[in-house]
Amino acid sequence: GAMYNKAVIVFEGIEGSGKTHHINLVSNYLKKKKIDHIKIREPGGNKNSEKIRNLILSNKSNFNKNTDLLLYLAARSENIEYLKKYYKKRIILIDRFIDSTIAYQHYGMGVDLSIIRKINNHLIKNFYVNFTFLNTVNKKNMKIRLKKRKKLNRYDLFDYNFYKRVQNGFLKIAKKNKSKYQIIDSNKEIKVNKEIIINKIKNFIT
Ligand code: TMP
C-alpha cells in the first residue's frame, strides 16, 4: 500500500544541483507506469507566472531583494489555483517551492523570515508538501555544470558565497523535518542517485 495518496513532491537545491534532471527522471518513471501526474516549476508554471519569471530572471532587471521576494510570491500566487485544482487528485511534482524562497531570500539575501512565512501561508493555505528531495552539489561541480549552460540568467551569476549560504539554508530547513526530506548528493554518480530517488518514489504510488 502507499504511504501517501496523491502526494505533493518537491525538488529543491541550488544551481547545478541536478534537481531538474531528477524531477524529469521521476516524471518519466511515472509516465512509463501510466500514472497521471502534474509537473510544474517555480517561478513559472502557467502563463501568468512564466511572465513574472521572465521579469525576475532577466539580466536586464535589477530589482532589490524585497521586490524579488514579492515577485517570487506573485508567481506562486498565480500557480496556486492550478495546484489546488489537482491537490490530492493527482501526484504533483514541483521544481522549487517555498523552501527556495526561504533559502534564497532569507538565508541568501537576508529578508526577514517571518514576512516570508506570513505571505506564503496566506497564499497557500491548505496545500501541503508531503516530501522533498533536496539536491546538493559542491563548488567544483556547480561551476562545471553552470559553464555548460548556453544562457545564464540573473540568478545564475551570484558569487559562490551566496550559493553556499543558500545551500546551508536548505540543509537547515531539511534538518528540522528529517522524515520529510531526502538529501541527494549530486556529486555522486547519476546511477546511484537514480536508484535512491526511484526507490523513494515507489512509496508514493498505489
Ligand atoms: P531555476 O533556475 O531552478 O528555474 O530557478 C530560478 C531561480 O529562482 C533560482 O536561482 C532560484 C530562484 N528562486 C528564488 O530565489 N526564490 C524562490 O522563491 C524561487 C521559487 C526561486
Side-chain angles (χ1 to χ4, degrees):
M3 261 167 78
Y4 303 94
N5 193 27
K6 312 292 181 203
V8 176
I9 303 166
V10 174
F11 295 76
E12 292 283 11
I14 60 170
E15 276 62 15
S17 66
K19 74 184 164 49
T20 304
H21 176 79
H22 291 147
I23 195 173
N24 289 336
L25 187 100
V26 172
S27 181
N28 288 334
Y29 176 81
L30 294 176
K31 269 183 214 154
K32 224 172 64 191
K33 299 251 162 201
K34 298 198 163 57
I35 296 170
D36 271 348
H37 61 282
I38 302 297
K39 188 189 84 165
I40 66 150
R41 67 172 178 183
E42 285 209 339
N46 65 24
K47 205 172 146 205
N48 288 338
S49 18
E50 288 291 331
K51 279 188 195 165
I52 301 170
R53 176 191 177 90
N54 289 335
L55 182 63
I56 308 172
L57 296 178
S58 164
N59 287 316
K60 288 179 192 147
S61 299
N62 68 335
F63 302 121
N64 69 45
K65 61 185 183 184
N66 287 317
T67 308
D68 273 7
L69 169 71
L70 294 168
L71 288 174
Y72 281 117
L73 293 167
R76 183 159 305 141
S77 168
E78 285 297 316
N79 265 343
I80 200 69
E81 264 170 71
Y82 175 75
L83 288 172
K84 283 192 171 161
K85 197 167 111 189
Y86 291 105
Y87 186 58
K88 294 294 157 205
K89 294 192 176 73
R90 290 196 196 162
I91 292 176
I92 299 176
L93 309 177
I94 316 179
D95 189 333
R96 298 193 182 284
F97 202 45
I98 302 151
D99 289 354
S100 270
T101 319
I102 295 173
Y104 282 79
Q105 275 66 51
H106 173 64
Y107 288 106
M109 297 183 163
V111 180
D112 178 53
L113 184 57
S114 61
I115 195 71
I116 297 175
R117 287 206 196 283
K118 184 148 191 182
I119 305 174
N120 247 318
N121 291 343
H122 174 71
L123 294 177
I124 67 155
K125 283 180 208 110
N126 303 318
F127 182 91
Y128 301 101
V129 173
N130 296 106
F131 199 76
T132 300
F133 290 99
L134 171 54
N135 301 271
T136 61
V137 65
N138 64 25
K139 184 176 179 175
K140 189 178 136 227
N141 285 329
M142 179 196 172
K143 293 211 157 159
I144 292 172
R145 288 173 194 170
L146 277 180
K147 247 190 193 151
K148 285 185 188 154
R149 291 191 186 167
K150 285 187 203 91
K151 265 171 113 189
L152 296 180
N153 67 42
R154 183 174 154 242
Y155 264 65
D156 292 327
L157 300 168
F158 294 113
D159 67 71
Y160 182 71
N161 285 331
F162 174 77
Y163 300 108
K164 202 171 159 187
R165 284 201 299 280
V166 172
Q167 181 157 280
N168 285 337
F170 274 128
L171 288 165
K172 273 184 209 162
I173 298 167
K175 266 188 197 140
K176 281 187 201 147
N177 213 337
K178 282 195 179 119
S179 65
K180 289 192 167 183
Y181 286 81
Q182 168 94 50
I183 294 168
I184 301 295
D185 176 359
S186 285
N187 303 301
K188 287 191 187 153
E189 253 193 284
I190 286 182
K191 246 172 59 188
V192 175
N193 284 332
K194 180 174 177 179
E195 202 176 308
I196 295 172
I197 293 167
I198 296 302
N199 275 335
K200 197 81 205 180
I201 287 297
K202 285 178 182 161
N203 293 319
F204 300 101
I205 300 172
T206 26

